[in-house]
C-alpha cells in the first residue's frame, strides 16, 4: 500500500501555513498510485477545502488537527444537496465525490473553525438580507436558477449563503469515518449523500448549542448505514435521517434505507435521533437501540409536513434514555421551519387532498424507553387528518414530567396551526391506531390527551 505524509509534499503544521497545495498534491499522488494512506502527525495543519479520491485513507494521529480557513471565497461551488434540494453550494471542507473505499480514521481532530461562519450568518440575518449580495452568493445564485422558489429549512437559501458542510461524501460507496473528533462546523457536520455502505464509529462531534444549523450527522438518501458508539453535542439535530425535500426529492427518488444506530450519546441537540424534515423519498428499515439522548430538546423526533412527501415506516426505537428533555417523543406532521406564513394550507386542521407531496408515517415501534423530568410534555404525536399516523406501538416505557417547569406544552416541537394545550400530558392527534402498552406517565393529571 502506498503511504505518504503531508510533509513529503511541503506541508507545515504551524497553524499558519496554507497546506491546500500540499493536500492536493498528496491526494493526487495517492490517486496516481491506485490508492494509499495520507498520515497527518501532531500539529495544526491549516488548509482550504480538500478532495479525497477512491481507495484512500486519511489518518489523523493523536495530536493532529486539520484546521480550515474561514474565507467563504476559498470554497468554490460544488454540486451537492443542500437542505434537501440538489444544487450547487460551497465546497465542503472535506469532500469525496463519486468515489469508493474511503476512510478517515485516527484520534486527531477536524476543526471547521465555524465561529466566523456563524457570526456572518447572524449578521446577514440581523441586517435583513433576503437575496444574494456578496460575490460568492451571486456566483451560486447564477448556478442555481429558480432558487427563490426552492424549499429550505431556514439555513439561508433565499440569500444563497449556502455554507459548506464539514465532511461530505456524495455518490460514494464503502465509506468509513472512525475515531476522530469533528468540531465547529460552518453548517451540517457529517453529511453523507447518496452513499451505499457507510460506517460511522467512535466519533466525537461537537458544536456550540447556539451555532446555527450545525446538525451533527445527516444521513441523506443513503443505504446500509451503521452509526456506532458516537457522541454528538451540537446546535441543531443530533443524528438525523433525510431523503430530500418536496418535488426535488421526489424527482431524485432515493430513500434512506437500512440504518442501524447503537450505543450512541447525544447532548444539547434540538433532536436526539431524528427523521426528517426532508422526507421526500422516504425513510425505511431503521433500528436504534441503547442510546442516551438526555439533555436534548426532543429525544426521538420525526418531523415533516404537507409538501415534503415521503413514506416513513419500519422504524424501531428501543431502550433509549431521554432524561431532562422538553419532550421525549415528538412525531410532528405540522413542522414549521422554513415557512413564515402561519395561515398556510400546509397547517390546516382540515383534510387536504392526498398527493405525492403528502408525507406518511406508519409501522413505528418505540420500546423500553425512559424519560424523567420532561419540561414541556410527556409526548407529542400529531399526524395529518388526511394521512393519520398508522400502526404506532409504544410499550414498556416510563415517562415523567416536571410539573414545576415553566416550559409550555406548545414547545414540545416546532409547529404552526395546532390548537393550544396547557397540560404536559402525552398529546395524540390524528393517530387513531396508536397502541400504548405498559406505558407509565407520571406528573400530569391526565396521562393522555386524545384529539
Amino acid at each position: 500500500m502506498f503511504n505518504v505524509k503531508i510533509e513529503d509534499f511541503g506541508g507545515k503544521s504551524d497553524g499558519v501555513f496554507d497546506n491546500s497545495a500540499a493536500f492536493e498534491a498528496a491526494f493526487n499522488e495517492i490517486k496516481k498510485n491506485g490508492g494509499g494512506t495520507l498520515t497527518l502527525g501532531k500539529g495544526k495543519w491549516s488548509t482550504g477545502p480538500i478532495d479525497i479520491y477512491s481507495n484512500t485513507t486519511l489518518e489523523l494521529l493523536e495530536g493532529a488537527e486539520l484546521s480550515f480557513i474561514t474565507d467563504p471565497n476559498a470554497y468554490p461551488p460544488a454540486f451537492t444537496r443542500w437542505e434537501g434540494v440538489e444544487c450547487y453550494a460551497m465546497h465542503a471542507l472535506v469532500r469525496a465525490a463519486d468515489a469508493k473505499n474511503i476512510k478517515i480514521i485516527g484520534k486527531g481532530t477536524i476543526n471547521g473553525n465555524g465561529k466566523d461562519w456563524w457570526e456572518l450568518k447572524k449578521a446577514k440575518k440581523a441586517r435583513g438580507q433576503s437575496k444574494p449580495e456578496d460575490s460568492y452568493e451571486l456566483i451560486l445564485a447564477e448556478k442555481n436558477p429558480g432558487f427563490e422558489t426552492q424549499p429550505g429549512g431556514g439555513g439561508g437559501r433565499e440569500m444563497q449563503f449556502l455554507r459548506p458542510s464539514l465532511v461530505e461524501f456524495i455518490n460514494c460507496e464503502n465509506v468509513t469515518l472512525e475515531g476522530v473528533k469533528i468540531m465547529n462546523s460552518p453548517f451540517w457536520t457529517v453529511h453523507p449523500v447518496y452513499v451505499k455502505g457507510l460506517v460511522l464509529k467512535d466519533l466525537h462531534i461537537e458544536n456550540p448549542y447556539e451555532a446555527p444549523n450545525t446538525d451533527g450527522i445527516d444521513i441523506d438518501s443513503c443505504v446500509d448505514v451503521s452509526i456506532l458508539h458516537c457522541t454528538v453535542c451540537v446546535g441543531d439535530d443530533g443524528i438525523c435521517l433525510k431523503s430530500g425535500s418536496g418535488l426535488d426529492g421526489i424527482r431524485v427518488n432515493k430513500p434512506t434505507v437500512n440504518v442501524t444506530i447503537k450505543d450512541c450519546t447525544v447532548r444539547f441537540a434540538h433532536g436526539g435521533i431524528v427523521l426528517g424534515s426532508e422526507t421526500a423519498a422516504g425513510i425505511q428499515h431503521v433500528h436504534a437501540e441503547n442510546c442516551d439522548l438526555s439533555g436534548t430538546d426532543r429525544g426521538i423526533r420525526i418531523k415533516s409536513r404537507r409538501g415534503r412527501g415521503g413514506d416513513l415506516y419500519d422504524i424501531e426505537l428501543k431502550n433509549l434514555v431521554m432524561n431532562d428533555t422538553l419532550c421525549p417523543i415528538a412525531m410532528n406532521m405540522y413542522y414549521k421551519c422554513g415557512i413564515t406564513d402561519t395561515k398556510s394550507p400546509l397547517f390546516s386542521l382540515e383534510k387536504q387532498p392526498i398527493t405525492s407531496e403528502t408525507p406518511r408515517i406508519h409501522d413505528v415501534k418505540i420500546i423500553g424507553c425512559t424519560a424523567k423530568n420532561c419540561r414541556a410534555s410527556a409526548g407529542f404525536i400529531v399526524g395529518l387528518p388526511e394521512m393519520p399516523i398508522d400502526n404506532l406501538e409504544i410499550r414498556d416505557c416510563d415517562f415523567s414530567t416536571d410539573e414545576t417547569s415553566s416550559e409550555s406544552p406548545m414547545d414540545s416541537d416546532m409547529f404552526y396551526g395546532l390548537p393550544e394545550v396547557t397540560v404536559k400530558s402525552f398529546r395524540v392527534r390524528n393517530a387513531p391506531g396508536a397502541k400504548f402498552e405498559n406505558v407509565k406517565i407520571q406528573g400530569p393529571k391526565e396521562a393522555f390527551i386524545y384529539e
Side-chain angles (χ1 to χ4, degrees):
M1 182 65 73
F2 185 71
N3 300 312
V4 296
K5 297 181 179 180
I6 193 67
E7 297 96 324
D8 301 338
F9 301 88
K12 298 179 182 180
S13 61
D14 59 8
V16 177
F17 180 76
D18 184 352
N19 288 283
S20 298
F23 278 108
E24 183 178 8
F27 286 124
N28 281 331
E29 188 68 17
I30 291 172
K31 182 180 180 182
K32 186 173 71 174
N33 283 271
T37 300
L38 173 62
T39 300
L40 297 186
K42 187 176 181 180
K44 182 180 287 189
W45 305 92
S46 182
T47 183
I50 63 176
D51 289 282
I52 302 177
Y53 306 113
S54 290
N55 306 311
T56 297
T57 297
L58 173 60
E59 182 182 24
L60 286 77
L61 300 180
E62 189 170 2
E65 179 179 320
L66 184 56
S67 179
F68 285 89
I69 295 165
T70 60
D71 178 8
N73 294 292
Y75 298 86
F79 181 77
T80 184
R81 176 186 262 175
W82 203 90
E83 288 194 338
V85 176
E86 286 191 339
C87 64
Y88 285 85
M90 295 181 190
H91 190 295
L93 280 56
V94 178
R95 186 174 190 260
D98 307 305
K100 295 182 179 181
N101 307 323
I102 301 291
K103 291 184 178 181
I104 301 175
I105 61 173
K107 295 185 177 180
T109 298
I110 303 175
N111 190 346
N113 296 307
K115 184 176 180 180
D116 288 349
W117 297 92
W118 311 328
E119 293 299 325
L120 185 53
K121 165 72 161 56
K122 291 174 184 176
K124 289 174 178 291
K125 183 177 181 180
R127 68 172 183 258
Q129 182 179 335
S130 60
K131 62 181 180 179
E133 293 180 1
D134 289 302
S135 58
Y136 47 83
E137 295 166 340
L138 294 168
I139 291 170
L140 288 173
E142 186 175 349
K143 296 183 74 67
N144 295 326
F147 71 88
E148 298 91 342
T149 61
Q150 292 175 341
R157 187 183 302 279
E158 73 284 354
M159 51 189 172
Q160 289 292 278
F161 184 48
L162 307 186
R163 289 167 286 154
S165 296
L166 209 170
V167 179
E168 183 172 88
F169 309 102
I170 182 166
N171 291 316
C172 292
E173 186 173 341
N174 191 20
V175 173
T176 298
L177 183 56
E178 181 176 352
V180 294
K181 181 177 182 179
I182 307 173
M183 60 188 294
N184 297 328
S185 179
F187 185 59
W188 293 354
T189 308
V190 176
H191 184 210
V193 192
Y194 312 149
V195 173
K196 179 175 174 57
L198 172 68
V199 176
L200 306 178
K201 185 178 180 182
D202 295 321
L203 301 177
H204 184 96
I205 297 172
E206 185 173 327
N207 302 312
Y209 180 78
E210 66 275 9
N213 313 110
T214 54
D215 294 15
I217 296 170
D218 285 295
I219 305 300
D220 203 343
S221 292
C222 298
V223 178
D224 299 335
V225 177
S226 294
I227 305 172
L228 310 172
H229 310 289
C230 293
T231 298
V232 181
C233 305
V234 296
D236 208 311
D237 287 328
I239 299 171
C240 192
L241 312 183
K242 301 176 179 291
S243 65
S245 184
L247 291 174
D248 192 70
I250 293 169
R251 173 189 62 81
V252 173
N253 194 30
K254 293 182 179 180
T256 284
V257 182
N258 295 337
V259 180
T260 298
I261 305 167
K262 287 187 177 181
D263 303 311
C264 292
T265 300
V266 183
R267 294 285 186 265
F268 309 120
H270 292 179
I273 294 174
V274 182
L275 283 68
S277 65
E278 296 89 345
T279 56
I283 301 170
Q284 297 117 32
H285 312 313
V286 177
H287 178 82
E289 66 175 313
N290 299 334
C291 295
D292 189 339
L293 313 177
S294 298
T296 59
D297 289 348
R298 297 128 196 124
I300 297 166
R301 192 182 197 195
I302 303 177
K303 52 180 178 172
S304 192
R305 64 168 175 257
R306 296 174 176 117
R308 297 238 150 174
D311 193 3
L312 285 64
Y313 67 89
D314 189 19
I315 299 159
E316 183 179 69
L317 309 167
K318 188 175 181 181
N319 299 336
L320 307 179
V321 177
M322 301 175 286
N323 298 329
D324 303 305
T325 65
L326 286 173
C327 178
I329 301 171
M331 299 175 64
N332 175 16
M333 299 289 264
Y334 283 75
Y335 184 65
K336 72 179 184 180
C337 287
I339 298 289
T340 57
D341 181 8
T342 62
K343 303 299 182 182
S344 168
L346 295 175
F347 308 110
S348 173
L349 297 179
E350 303 300 323
K351 288 185 178 181
Q352 302 295 304
I354 295 175
T355 72
S356 63
E357 297 175 63
T358 305
R360 184 185 180 199
I361 300 171
H362 61 106
D363 294 284
V364 178
K365 292 182 180 181
I366 299 172
I367 303 169
C369 296
T370 60
K372 299 178 181 178
N373 302 319
C374 305
R375 300 188 305 279
S377 72
F380 178 92
I381 308 289
V382 178
L384 295 171
E386 69 272 18
M387 188 65 75
I389 295 171
D390 188 37
N391 200 17
L392 167 64
E393 178 185 341
I394 300 179
R395 60 181 168 87
D396 302 327
C397 292
D398 194 341
F399 307 133
S400 69
T401 57
D402 179 1
E403 293 297 310
T404 68
S405 171
S406 61
E407 297 281 0
S408 167
M410 298 297 283
D411 293 327
S412 296
D413 203 11
M414 302 171 181
F415 55 82
Y416 288 138
L418 298 177
E420 185 173 359
V421 295
T422 58
V423 291
K424 300 180 188 292
S425 309
F426 199 121
R427 184 177 191 177
V428 183
R429 184 184 184 96
N430 296 326
K435 299 176 183 178
F436 295 87
E437 180 181 334
N438 191 29
V439 175
K440 299 177 182 178
I441 298 176
Q442 303 176 61
K445 292 181 180 180
E446 292 181 80
F448 294 91
I449 300 175
Y450 291 96
E451 302 174 29

